[in-house]
Amino acid sequence: SLARRAIASSRVRIIVVSRLKRAIALRGAEAVLAELFRGARPPGRREPPLIESAPPARAYFALVSYRQERLEGDDSGTTMDAAALASIADVAHAAGLEGIWLDACCFAAVQNKYDHDSFVATLAAVTQHASEVIWLPRARTASKASSYQFW
């Protein structure tokens, strides 16, 4: 169908696992987390960007599922803590994944204005082509573990 061909030919933004692991090792998970959720690369950065656009049917990536949690009074925009990001990077690396897809970084952070149709099309491509799912029971160390939920 036309819809399936559109999904198959689309591109999604994924966080490249090897770059994520290197960035965490060099700058620390807290700094990398802030960079990802800001959606902008600091000026003067020489290494390749953490996020790249890829055809979902050809990328070996995981969808990361977790209960987004923003802290009251925190204007950073992050929905998880640095420990969660480091854990995701470790699991993805151990699984041999090329990339991970976090909606808050790979979709929401690049949109000037939320476009639901675009989000649904992107989510359809991601769920159709993700090779794995990484599920976090909590987004922050101090949070209570959440029960299983699927959209």
Side-chain angles (χ1 to χ4, degrees):
S1 80
L2 182 60
R4 286 190 183 190
R5 279 182 286 169
I7 289 171
S9 66
S10 69
R11 295 180 74 82
V12 296
R13 291 170 43 87
I14 59 171
I15 300 168
V16 179
V17 172
S18 60
R19 296 176 193 168
L20 177 62
K21 288 286 290 176
R22 180 169 166 71
I24 290 171
L26 291 172
R27 297 190 299 278
E30 195 71 47
V32 174
L33 181 70
E35 178 182 335
L36 285 170
F37 278 84
R38 252 195 331 268
R41 226 169 96 159
R45 180 75 39 80
R46 290 186 178 177
E47 66 260 17
L50 296 174
I51 299 176
E52 70 178 22
S53 179
R58 295 191 185 136
Y60 183 50
F61 71 99
L63 178 154
V64 178
S65 177
Y66 68 102
R67 183 173 168 252
Q68 294 187 1
E69 193 172 329
R70 297 189 193 279
L71 293 178
E72 192 173 319
D74 180 6
D75 63 352
S76 71
T78 63
T79 57
M80 65 175 56
D81 63 16
L85 180 65
S87 177
I88 292 166
D90 289 344
V91 167
H93 177 74
L97 293 163
E98 294 171 21
I100 56 173
W101 189 81
L102 287 162
D103 63 344
C105 303
C106 297
F107 181 80
V110 299
Q111 301 297 314
N112 293 330
K113 185 177 109 178
Y114 179 73
D115 175 357
H116 189 67
D117 290 341
S118 178
F119 177 73
V120 170
T122 299
L123 187 59
V126 168
T127 56
Q128 184 175 23
H129 296 290
S131 302
E132 308 288 340
V133 174
I134 297 172
W135 179 72
L136 297 178
R138 66 186 64 164
R140 298 185 185 276
T141 304
S143 302
K144 291 182 180 178
S146 64
S147 60
Y148 175 79
Q149 287 183 313
F150 191 74
W151 294 285

